[in-house]
Amino acid sequence: MTRLQARRIHRHDGVAVLAVVGELDLDSEQVLAEATASVLDTGQVRLVLDCGQLSFCDSRGLGLLLTLRQTLDDRGGSLVLAALSDQLLRTLELTGADQVLTLTDGVEEAADLLLPPGAAGVTGNAGSG
């Protein structure tokens, strides 16, 4: 089992991007919950989860993603999942979550979806943590 890591990798004009690495399940959901709470605590409500290295997601992880989407929506923001593995995409399709969550092939595409009108792409690296 790969311990879940969620780290902030960069920001695009007010869009936070978190890289999610490992397995998202009952034993690790708190890691992602804390990382996303840290983003929300900064006032950011537009979030991309880079799922390119997320190797597994169980029902608890899926529930967390759906709750996060609702929380961001309630705050006037949005969540986009980017770079999903075939396995994760299949899980989302089987559960119907692909109809609720916004999915993109890549992080840049996801961030562009969340940019406010007139914003100009990548602003640089916000560091990790």
Side-chain angles (χ1 to χ4, degrees):
M1 178 157 87
T2 305
R3 175 148 170 78
L4 186 76
Q5 298 175 16
R7 57 187 165 80
R8 194 168 186 162
I9 54 173
H10 57 315
R11 182 176 58 219
H12 302 253
D13 291 334
V15 176
V17 180
L18 288 178
V20 184
V21 179
E23 298 179 358
L24 178 56
D25 57 21
L26 173 64
D27 294 330
S28 65
E29 68 178 327
Q30 192 60 33
V31 173
L32 183 57
E34 290 172 4
T36 56
S38 176
V39 169
L40 293 175
D41 288 346
T42 68
Q44 292 198 272
V45 294
R46 294 185 304 245
L47 176 62
V48 173
L49 293 184
D50 178 352
C51 299
Q53 296 182 55
L54 183 62
S55 58
F56 177 78
C57 181
D58 71 2
S59 60
R60 291 291 294 245
L62 179 57
L64 178 61
L65 294 175
L66 293 169
T67 298
L68 178 58
R69 188 205 69 76
Q70 186 62 53
T71 298
L72 288 165
D73 189 56
D74 290 347
R75 294 182 183 198
S78 297
L79 172 68
V80 178
L81 305 183
L84 285 75
S85 68
D86 289 341
Q87 180 185 25
L88 180 55
L89 182 58
R90 181 77 175 132
T91 298
L92 297 177
E93 290 171 346
L94 286 171
T95 60
D98 65 321
Q99 301 299 309
V100 177
L101 296 167
T102 302
L103 314 175
T104 64
D105 291 332
V107 173
E108 297 300 322
E109 177 186 353
D112 288 346
L113 281 176
L114 296 179
L115 288 174
V122 179
T123 60
N125 190 345
S128 61

